[in-house]
Structures are given as C-alpha cells and as structure tokens.
Amino acid sequence: MLGFNATLTSSSASDAGVGVGATGVGVCDDIERIISVAGGGSGGGGTAMAAALTAAAASKRQQQFDALAAAARVSPSARAAVERLAADPRNVVVIFSGSDRAKLDDAFGSQSSRVWLAAENGVFVKPPGRDWAALIEPPKKEWMDAVQTVFDYFCERTPRSYVEARATSVVWNYKHADAEFGRLQARDLLQHLWTGPISNARVDIVQGSRSVEVRPVGVSKGLCMQRIVGAMAEEAAAAGAAAAAA
C-alpha cells in the first residue's frame, strides 16, 4: 500500500496573475480606515455608509482568497507519479489531503476509479469508484461560527492572510503574509481562541508552518488510515467467502 500526501501548492503571484501585492492590500486597508471614520458619524447615513464599506472590504478580502485558491494546484510531476502508481494493479494508492472534497475531485478525479481519496485530513473518504463518505459526525455549527469570527478579525489585521471554512474545520492561513508579522498575529490569535470560543468545545488546534486550523477532536490521518485498512480487509474477506461459496 502506498500513501500519497497531496499538497496543493500555490504558484507565485506573478506567474498565476494573482493580485496579492501591496496595491490590493492598500485598497483593503484604506477601506477599513474609512469604515472607522464613517462608523463614528451621527445619524443613519453614517451607519449605512459604514455597513456598505464593511461589505466592500469583505468582498475585497474574498476576492483575494478566491484568487489565491484558484492558483493552488497539484504539480504535473505529482500527478504523473500518481498515475504511474495507480496503473500498477499491485499497488493500492491512498491520497491524503487537508483540502476539501471538491479540490481533490478536481485534482485527481481522473484517477478516482483506481485510488482512495481522503479529504480534510481523513474526515471524508472516497473509495475507488464510489461516493464520498464521512468518518465522523458533523461538528457543531456554534463553535465553527465563533472560530471563524475570530479568524476573520485576524484576517483583517494581517494583510494577505485568508480564512478557509471547510465542512468540518476552519483554517487561518498566513503563508502569503509577512512571516514575522504573521507569527506574532498567530500567537495573539491562539490566546483569543483558548480563552474564548473553544474553551469548552471538543476540538483540536493544529498549528502548521504558517497556518492555524481548528478541527474536531480525533481527526487524524493515522486514524483514517486504520479505518481504510480495516475496510480493505473486510472487502477481501467478503470476496474470499463469496469465492469459496461459489
């Protein structure tokens, strides 16, 4: 059995045509400063203007995230390696990723009849030629909403960072932000999480090299792999019993 840990890497902003430079960030920051002024005005007009500008700032951040997400892709060499491995009937290929199901289907859909896919670090599994299945119960929406609120706040404070809300977890990623400033913000973010929205929630905080993820307790690639091996063993036993009966 061969496990393949898929990493969706982002090309450089210049190669992908992604506008994540100082100009885009400056626009977003200028909007935020205007919001603070407009919000301090009196009367309904100031409130309406603040609401409109808040929406504009949120839209700008979403555009930056969508552009970065669109640039993420599996390298041709990795795709070719998977194809070669899956073509050999002696191999069983399992692709693990922290990405969601749609991204894995898009990246490896052509191999779906020959490989196992595991999305969101093993929360969802797709056996060869079958549909996706969840290995855990869906998490409570309350803690996910609260965590995303905190992440959105730090996204506003950290230029070129973004928030990715998945089906079972929330990720704040600052890989495109200034490294030192991002680390300082991440430390402050963790303090907000531990003392706030997840103080009583059954979740794990996973710190990546330049990201922070909050996900349900017990989600791991190792546990997912155990279940996949168990499913394979059950299928093999069932096939053997059927052959013996015939």
Side-chain angles (χ1 to χ4, degrees):
M1 179 179 296
L2 298 171
F4 185 84
N5 187 19
T7 302
L8 301 185
T9 59
S10 176
S11 61
S12 68
S14 58
D15 292 341
V18 180
V20 295
T23 301
V25 175
V27 171
C28 188
D29 290 344
D30 288 343
I31 291 174
E32 296 293 350
R33 284 193 289 271
I34 295 172
I35 289 171
S36 65
V37 174
S42 59
T47 302
M49 181 180 292
L53 290 172
T54 300
S59 176
K60 183 64 180 179
R61 287 192 296 270
Q62 185 62 42
Q63 290 174 10
Q64 292 176 348
F65 167 74
D66 291 343
L68 292 169
R73 62 177 182 267
V74 177
S75 67
S77 60
R79 195 188 302 273
V82 171
E83 292 177 355
R84 289 195 300 271
L85 291 171
D88 189 336
R90 297 171 297 176
N91 294 333
V92 176
V93 182
V94 182
I95 300 176
F96 288 92
S97 176
S99 300
D100 58 29
R101 290 166 287 180
K103 287 183 180 178
L104 278 183
D105 278 332
D106 182 61
F108 299 102
S110 61
Q111 304 296 321
S112 61
S113 63
R114 293 181 289 178
V115 302
W116 289 72
L117 301 179
E120 298 196 25
N121 295 302
V123 173
F124 299 101
V125 172
K126 186 177 185 180
R130 303 181 196 173
D131 293 329
W132 288 99
L135 296 185
I136 67 169
E137 293 294 325
K140 293 184 178 181
K141 189 68 175 176
E142 291 79 7
W143 71 257
M144 292 190 69
D145 289 341
V147 168
Q148 182 160 356
T149 298
V150 174
F151 281 4
D152 286 342
Y153 170 69
F154 278 88
C155 184
E156 294 177 2
R157 292 175 49 174
T158 313
R160 294 188 294 278
S161 69
Y162 62 90
V163 179
E164 183 178 1
R166 300 170 178 167
T168 59
S169 63
V170 188
V171 183
W172 178 65
N173 196 310
Y174 58 97
K175 65 182 178 182
H176 298 289
D178 177 80
E180 183 59 28
F181 183 69
R183 282 192 291 268
L184 293 175
Q185 292 293 85
R187 185 174 60 186
D188 196 10
L189 179 147
L190 291 173
Q191 292 177 350
H192 278 70
L193 289 177
W194 287 325
T195 59
I198 65 167
S199 56
N200 296 316
R202 288 182 52 78
V203 298
D204 287 330
I205 300 177
V206 182
Q207 292 182 254
S209 60
R210 299 185 70 172
S211 66
V212 178
E213 178 181 3
V214 180
R215 65 192 189 196
V217 170
V219 174
S220 70
K221 294 175 182 177
L223 179 59
C224 176
M225 194 69 241
Q226 290 179 359
R227 294 181 178 180
I228 289 176
V229 171
M232 291 178 179
E234 290 177 1
E235 290 181 359

